[in-house]
Amino acid sequence: MITPFTPAIRDTNKPRILIVDDNPRFSHSARLILQESGQYVVCEENDAASAVETARSFRPDLILLDLVMPQLDGAEVAAQVESDWALLGVPIVFVTGLVTRDGRDRRCHRRHTCWR
């Protein structure tokens, strides 16, 4: 799903962030948080197969990319982005909701913060 953006928004000097995640609840929440800061223009895409096409049309300064998706995983999408001349140099940050119990326990002990 491509979140509509208007040509007027395209002309701003704000950094542009593309969120690619198969979970619309996450991508929508992340988009709202980033947009409400007033510092970013954000687009969300929930179909990994359409991510590169969306990136070409949106021209992001940063891509937040889910690592685990059903059709293509984040590594495959990242490889497509990195091999696309129009997207050369766009940084990609992988995001994931996967946390093993062991990893969660280690994080809790180091930071003294747990969400269970």
Side-chain angles (χ1 to χ4, degrees):
M1 173 187 87
I2 299 174
T3 302
F5 52 95
T6 64
I9 293 176
R10 286 180 156 254
D11 296 333
T12 68
N13 290 326
K14 295 178 183 178
R16 304 167 64 75
I17 299 175
L18 172 61
I19 302 168
V20 180
D21 196 303
D22 63 314
N23 181 338
R25 287 179 47 193
F26 169 77
S27 61
H28 183 72
S29 297
R31 180 176 59 83
L32 288 177
I33 290 168
L34 291 167
Q35 281 182 331
E36 286 177 2
S37 76
Q39 297 180 31
Y40 308 101
V41 176
V42 184
C43 177
E44 61 182 289
E45 175 60 67
N46 300 119
D47 179 20
S50 301
V52 174
E53 181 181 325
T54 300
R56 277 191 211 119
S57 66
F58 183 65
R59 299 185 324 260
D61 297 301
L62 173 71
I63 299 173
L64 298 178
L65 180 57
D66 186 9
L67 190 55
V68 179
M69 294 182 281
Q71 295 171 330
L72 297 170
D73 68 21
E76 292 169 316
V77 173
Q80 290 179 9
V81 168
E82 291 171 348
S83 68
D84 191 299
W85 182 255
L87 301 171
L88 189 65
V90 175
I92 297 170
V93 175
F94 287 103
V95 295
T96 186
L98 293 179
V99 178
T100 64
R101 179 160 184 78
D102 182 48
R104 182 178 61 208
D105 290 343
R106 275 196 305 258
R107 182 180 69 218
C108 292
H109 295 299
R110 277 185 284 167
R111 296 186 186 162
H112 305 291
T113 305
C114 286
W115 295 281
R116 294 181 198 241

